[in-house]
Amino acid sequence: MSQGILWPDEFVGRLAAGGRRVIRYDHRDTGRSGTVDFATDPYTWDDIKNDVYRVLAAHGLDSAHLVGHSAGGLLSQLIAVEAPERVRSLTVIASSPLGRGEGQVLLRALTGQPQPKGSLPEPEQEFVEFLRALMAAPPARDRPALIDSMIAEQRVLHGTGLPFDEDAARRLQERVYSRARDLSAASNHRLAAGVSPDFEPVDALHRVKAPTLVIEGSHEPVKPGHGALIAEQIPGARLMTVAGMGHTLPLETHQELADAILTHTAE
């Protein structure tokens, strides 16, 4: 549900300065990408995943170093499983292991249902309570109210390990709002998940051949501990914990993250 600019300019700049050609893009139904009426033109998460191949083809690339964050990390894992020849290296940030039903874990947490034995760790309670309140609240009626809501969400995702820069968050969300053809269209990603709830293969991560770096913040509020589970299942994967980082990519983490990715993608 994110635009490409959620990969911060400063972070992308560090990668580019390190000699990498960086491609970030707006997912379908976000930012400057096209939007659809989902009722008449539905799609699935497989379609969202296949957009990655389309972006590579448009740039004339047979393969790339994939760096995925959150749901993007899940899509990157899936591509590394199904098309290993397309993935030079894999970096997964703030994500959950493929095939472990992270969405169902979140749904059970929101509805107060017990988690079956062996389920992924639940999100932090503050994040669960924020989502419950957001779902119960009436929709924001104007731009200022909507941007305030977006900043509140970013604050919770940021976690408690580092100071939250509200001015920077406001600049980002103002930009997100201004770039969107239709800001509400991003919710189609949730509908897509309902169309194909079983799109993730189970017990597939052992098939990943790409050199893999898994990154998780020490204060991850949404998928705490999930990074270690990814690293355990991918042969040779390395786990990196970033002190203070939550689910977002704040300025304080850019140097450490960029250095790690530049090193990982050097070969």
Side-chain angles (χ1 to χ4, degrees), residues 31-42:
R32 306 310 300 160
S33 289
T35 61
V36 301
D37 178 347
F38 197 87
T40 59
D41 192 13

Side-chain angles (χ1 to χ4, degrees), residues 27-29 36 38 41-52 54 75 78 82 188-200:
H27 285 288
R28 59 171 65 197
D29 275 325
V36 301
F38 197 87
D41 192 13
Y43 55 84
T44 68
W45 269 89
D46 263 327
D47 294 318
I48 298 174
K49 177 261 299 176
N50 289 337
D51 288 340
V52 177
R54 298 183 182 101
L75 297 176
L78 181 52
E82 72 175 18
N188 286 342
H189 289 200
R190 291 197 185 100
L191 300 177
V195 171
S196 55
D198 300 321
F199 90 101
E200 300 177 44

